[in-house]
Amino acid sequence: MNLTILTYPDKRLKQKSKNVTKFDENIHKLLDAMNETMLLSNGIGLAAIQVNHPLNILILNIPDSEGNQPTENLMEIINPILIKKEGSTVYQEGCLSVPGFYEDIERYETITINYQDRDGNTKTLDADGLLSIAIQHEMDHLTGNLFIEKLSYARRKKFEKEYKKAIKEKRL
Ligand code: QAP
Ligand code: CO
């Protein structure tokens, strides 16, 4: 099922997500629908809150060297906890909830998280590169934060102006 993606400035994106406690069919259906929605929208990552489910769930599928996103590369991360962070890196990020806007954002270079898979099994993951950046971006959604909140005051103002103009011209 292709779900509707909430877009900025929808206040529902500011909700704090809650942990998943039951790893049942409902969660599996939500994960499958999130994957379909992400692929149809040309995304590489999606948090459940972006489809109006305030749960600590994120999915990622970093395209391979040919730009493909096979299901075997899909990562489903539930109830993630950041346990280690090192270094810093800058990448031009975008977000399905802020369509058409991209900005350089600073993140930790490498991270380690604990999380649960769709069956509730606990896992540890070391991430670097784009995967590390994407996990940090998606984890920010779980606390109600968007990447635009990391912009300097000047860049944020420029963003608000451009984004409002785009909405008005119905370019979004
Ligand atoms: C988050 O972002 C991310 O504006 C995932 O018109 C971004 O999938 C993690 C998208 C960068 C790491 C690095 C954005 C699609 C997709 C748009 C996305 C758009 C169409 C964004
Ligand atoms: Co996002």
Side-chain angles (χ1 to χ4, degrees):
M1 245 248 292
N2 190 11
L3 308 169
T4 303
I5 297 178
L6 303 179
T7 55
Y8 180 80
D10 195 312
K11 285 189 168 56
R12 290 173 289 182
L13 287 166
K14 294 172 77 76
Q15 297 174 84
K16 307 245 182 288
S17 292
K18 297 254 163 54
N19 267 355
V20 172
T21 55
K22 286 199 291 184
F23 296 82
D24 57 10
E25 195 194 336
N26 291 325
I27 288 299
H28 295 171
K29 282 190 173 146
L30 173 59
L31 285 163
D32 293 344
M34 284 173 65
N35 184 41
E36 183 182 340
T37 304
M38 177 175 74
L39 295 176
L40 286 170
S41 317
N42 297 313
I44 64 169
L46 186 72
I49 187 65
Q50 293 179 272
V51 290
N52 203 23
H53 289 269
L55 292 168
N56 287 327
I57 298 176
L58 55 98
I59 62 168
L60 304 155
N61 196 335
I62 307 298
D64 63 23
S65 53
E66 290 170 0
N68 297 319
Q69 294 171 290
T71 305
E72 67 207 62
N73 292 349
L74 174 66
M75 306 194 60
E76 298 175 334
I77 294 176
I78 302 170
N79 304 336
I81 303 169
L82 190 63
I83 58 167
K84 208 165 116 191
K85 48 192 168 52
E86 251 176 295
S88 96
T89 184
V90 173
Y91 189 85
Q92 190 174 55
E93 297 188 15
C95 180
L96 288 170
S97 293
V98 191
F101 186 79
Y102 304 84
E103 262 290 4
D104 281 357
I105 301 292
E106 187 178 352
R107 302 280 185 187
Y108 302 117
E109 187 170 30
T110 62
I111 58 167
T112 303
I113 58 164
N114 285 343
Y115 69 99
Q116 286 171 288
D117 68 12
R118 64 158 62 205
D119 300 310
N121 303 305
T122 301
K123 310 249 169 138
T124 299
L125 174 71
D126 294 310
D128 62 12
L130 188 52
L131 179 62
S132 168
I133 293 163
I135 291 171
Q136 292 172 67
H137 174 111
E138 300 309 333
M139 282 183 74
D140 274 353
H141 279 294
L142 307 183
T143 50
N145 292 114
L146 297 173
F147 77 105
I148 52 171
E149 277 150 289
K150 291 189 170 285
L151 299 175
S152 67
Y153 184 76
R155 283 184 183 269
R156 177 61 181 263
K157 271 186 78 166
K158 184 166 164 272
F159 159 74
E160 293 293 342
K161 195 176 162 192
E162 284 174 7
Y163 192 80
K164 272 173 197 148
K165 185 160 177 274
I167 290 173
K168 211 170 155 188
E169 291 171 5
K170 276 195 188 283
R171 285 196 278 116
L172 299 179

